[in-house]
């Protein structure tokens, strides 16, 4: 590259690009001519003058970095023609104004940004006062002669090394101020908490401006004293800058968590500053909590609150699905339990107003009980205030459901009717429905059953229930399957409306239906055994009083043997049914007592729902409907089906006995056995005994299988309770462990009782084969009854 090309490149890069080509070319020619003439030695080379001047400055102030750089660059340029280029670079880059002593030779000054040609002899050295003044301007973001708007030292300014170092340190504070000012202005559209953070930054910058105003009023301020007074503001601005960097990409409650975490440092100033900023940042959050807990409103336009709402959820599911917690938005200084109470309080307010259609406002609490916006900080006792406000709202809701909407009364009605707790009503209903439910399930009609239901209500103490309860009671029929009778599809129904639907949900009502089906079948079997015993006793009295002489000895013996086998098997089945029924009723009573105690201690609606779910879980456990009890439920159902089959078989056996006896007074027979008439011709007594023997062996086998299933369940339950018993005893664990322990004990007792009962009846059956007296039937019945009540 020639000298002319090199100079053209340097001049074009240093001059203003806005100049037209003609002026730019003229400037280039003038510069090249001066450099060329200086290179021929007519005048002292500018680079030598520069070196002499810099060496003089070095002797006065020590070796300056400009001397070292210039000497290094000069040593690399061996060609004499390159020295003028070095001089041009020095002048264009803002070299010292006292270098060239030749007044007649002008140089380029301020070529860029309004530079002009001037004499080098008119240039003066910058004073320290001017540097301090320009630094104060730069700290406010204002450009000056020495420093530009980007807080950088102007290239035309020459400073000593100590002054340069101090200026760069102070300018670092100016750069922090520029970044914070920019961040403080970018608040709109980023969320309320982010806007509050920017407002806190602006307040902190106000204190920074006050410090600068005081410094500008000081006279004779040096660079060192300026740096010393700026150390404290620099520490605060460094912390604010780190806070701004950490807040990028953070949103909502997570932003307050970040500010709260920044206060955990060993610097006391940083701790106080973090608390002060946190008070400003969480003000929108406290306003959201206040509006949510007192009015049930979500004042959250930017989605920063940790409580979120789903507008697509219907009003019926408001309590369970409409509102939820967003864990990422929960601030770190608010525990999850406290956040749950906040959620529960606002949800209770909305439930009272929308579902209960009642007005509720926590104004009676007074302003001291609410959340004041001015008392905010990490040490603010938010938990106690939320606890008081939440407890008042939840207590009001629970009382509203219990007193005004009669939650306890409806739960009692479900226990009386769907769980068959009203014994006289169940007995009356079962007697009235006997004929209707014995037919095929496809032939029964709901309106006929409703009339029978109303009659059963009037005939029992259930008539004294409230009109609202009786109006909710009804009947529903399941879809029948092939071969099912009315007994299999019959269900009692209890209608539930708002707001009780939150406790008695459709899923809960299905559990009630399952429990009713099992208990209804159990009561039906018990009712059938009682009817069978009444039928047997009526036949026995008739035979012993009037017809003994009319039967021959062979027929009488055959009748006695048939009735004896019926008696033994019926008492065995009755004992089994009574044990199961007693156990289930004991579980129902115990669970109901625990439910009442739990509801008295419930402080919010969630606890009310939880206590009721535990109650139903205990009912399912007692009725063998819980998960894991399928084998036991199957065994019980099979045994109950065998009992119903026995009742039908005994009815046919009694009919055969009457045919053998050849009773003369048909009217009395018709009065006693109305159910027998109209049926197919009864089987012979021999067939009845054979069927009874087969039924007895089947019942014995099923009973043994059931006892084994009970033993396995008892072993598993005992092992599970033994493992968790220590935890329950020490930590006051869940109540279901105690219920499981109670269940295992009852199952074990039932297993032992049924085993002992079976051995007793087996021995009794062996002894009864040797009884041949005329009054054998009466003696066998009495002996069987005595054995039952003995064991």
């Amino acid at each position: 590259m020639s000298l002319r090309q090199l100079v053209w490149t340097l001049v074009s890069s240093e001059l203003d690009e806005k100049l037209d080509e003609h002026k730019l070319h003229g400037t280039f020619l003038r510069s090249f001519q001066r450099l060329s003439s200086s290179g021929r030695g007519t005048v002292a080379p500018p680079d030598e003058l520069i070196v002499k001047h810099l060496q003089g400055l070095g002797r006065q102030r020590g070796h300056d970095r400009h001397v070292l750089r210039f000497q290094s660059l000069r040593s690399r340029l061996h060609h004499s023609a390159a020295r003028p280029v070095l001089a041009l670079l020095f002048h264009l880059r803002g070299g010292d104004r006292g270098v060239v002593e030749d007044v007649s030779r002008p140089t380029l000054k301020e070529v860029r940004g309004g530079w002009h040609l001037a004499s080098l002899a008119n240039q003066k050295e910058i004073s320290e006062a001017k540097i301090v003044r320009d630094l104060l301007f730069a700290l406010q973001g204002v450009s000056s002669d020495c420093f530009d708007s980007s807080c950088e030292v102007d290239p035309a300014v020459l400073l000593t090394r100590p002054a340069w170092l101090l200026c760069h340190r102070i300018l670092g504070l100016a750069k922090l101020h520029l970044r914070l000012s920019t961040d403080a202005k970018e608040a709109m559209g980023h969320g309320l908490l982010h806007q509050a953070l920017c407002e806190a930054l602006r307040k902190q910058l106000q204190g920074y401006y006050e410090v600068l105003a005081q410094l500008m009023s000081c006279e004779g301020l040096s660079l060192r004293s300026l740096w010393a007074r700026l150390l404290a503001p620099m520490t605060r601005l460094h912390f604010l800058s780190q806070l701004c960097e950490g807040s990028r990409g953070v949103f909502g409650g997570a932003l307050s968590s970040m500010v709260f975490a920044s206060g955990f440092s060993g610097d006391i100033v940083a701790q106080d500053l973090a608390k002060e900023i946190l008070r400003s940042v969480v003000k929108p959050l406290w306003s959201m909590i206040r509006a949510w807990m007192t009015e049930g409103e979500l004042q959250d336009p930017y989605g920063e609150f940790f409580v979120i709402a789903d507008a697509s959820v219907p009003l019926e599911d408001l309590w369970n699905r409409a509102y939820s917690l967003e864990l990422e938005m929960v601030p770190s200084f608010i525990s999850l339990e406290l956040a749950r109470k906040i959620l529960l309080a606002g949800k209770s307010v909305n439930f009272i107003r929308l579902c209960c259609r009642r007005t509720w406002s926590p104004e009676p609490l007074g302003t001291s009980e609410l959340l004041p916006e001015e008392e905010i900080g990490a040490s603010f006792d938010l938990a106690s205030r939320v606890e008081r406000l939440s407890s008042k709202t939840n207590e009001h809701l629970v009382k509203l459901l219990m007193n005004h909407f009669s939650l306890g009364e409806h739960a009692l009605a479900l226990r009386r009717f769907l769980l068959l707790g009203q014994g006289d009503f169940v007995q009356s209903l079962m007697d009235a429905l006997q004929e209707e439910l014995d037919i095929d399930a496809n032939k029964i009609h709901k309106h006929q059953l409703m009339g029978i239901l109303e009659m059963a209500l009037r005939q029992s103490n259930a008539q004294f229930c409230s009109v609202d309860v009786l109006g909710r009671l009804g009947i529903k029929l399941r879809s029948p399957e092939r071969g099912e009778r009315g007994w299999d599809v019959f269900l009692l129904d209890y209608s539930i409306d708002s707001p009780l639907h939150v406790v008695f949900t459709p899923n809960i009502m299905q559990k009630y239906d399952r429990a009713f089906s099992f208990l209804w079948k159990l009561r039906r079997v018990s009712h059938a055994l009682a009817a069978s015993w009444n039928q047997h006793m009526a036949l026995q009295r008739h035979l012993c009083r009037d017809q003994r002489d009319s039967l021959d000895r062979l027929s009488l013996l055959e009748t006695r043997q048939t009735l004896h086998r019926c008696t033994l098997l019926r008492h065995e089945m009755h004992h089994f049914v009574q044990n199961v029924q007693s156990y289930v009723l004991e579980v129902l009573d115990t669970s109901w007592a625990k439910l009442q105690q739990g509801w008295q201690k419930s402080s919010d609606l969630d606890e009310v729902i939880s206590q009721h779910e535990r109650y139903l879980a205990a009912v399912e456990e007692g009725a063998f409907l819980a998960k894991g009890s399928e084998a036991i439920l199957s065994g019980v159902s099979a045994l109950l089906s065998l009992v119903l089959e026995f009742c039908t078989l005994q009815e046919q056996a009694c009919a055969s006995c009457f045919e053998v006896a050849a009773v003369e007074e048909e009217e009395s027979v018709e009065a006693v056995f109305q159910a027998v008439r109209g049926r197919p011709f009864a089987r012979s007594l021999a067939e009845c005994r054979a069927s009874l023997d087969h039924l007895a062996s089947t019942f014995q086998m099923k009973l043994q299988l059931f006892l084994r299933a009970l033993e396995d369940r008892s072993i598993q339950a005992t092992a599970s309770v033994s493992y968790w018993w220590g935890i329950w005893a020490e930590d006051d664990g869940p109540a279901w462990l105690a219920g499981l322990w109670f269940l295992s004990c009852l199952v074990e007792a039932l297993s032992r009782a049924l085993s002992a009962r079976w051995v007793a009846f087996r021995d009794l059956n062996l002894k009864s084969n040797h009884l041949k007296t005329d009054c054998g039937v009466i003696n066998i019945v009495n002996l069987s009854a005595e054995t039952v009540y003995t064991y």
Side-chain angles (χ1 to χ4, degrees), residues 370-394:
L370 300 181
L371 300 173
E373 297 182 358
E374 58 273 7
E375 296 185 14
I376 299 172
S379 60
F380 172 58
D381 190 11
L382 177 66
S384 61
R385 295 180 180 268
V386 169
E387 180 68 29
R388 287 194 293 269
L389 183 60
S390 178
S391 62
K392 292 291 184 181
T393 304
N394 294 326

Side-chain angles (χ1 to χ4, degrees), residues 666-686:
E666 295 182 359
E667 294 181 359
S668 61
V669 176
E670 185 175 1
V672 178
F673 298 104
Q674 293 180 359
V676 178
R677 298 179 62 86
R679 294 182 178 273
F681 184 75
R683 288 183 278 179
S684 63
L685 294 180

Side-chain angles (χ1 to χ4, degrees), residues 571-584:
H571 279 288
E572 182 180 351
M573 291 179 173
H574 182 265
H575 177 73
F576 165 75
V577 173
Q578 284 297 107
N579 274 275
V580 174
Q581 193 171 10
S582 299
Y583 164 69
V584 172

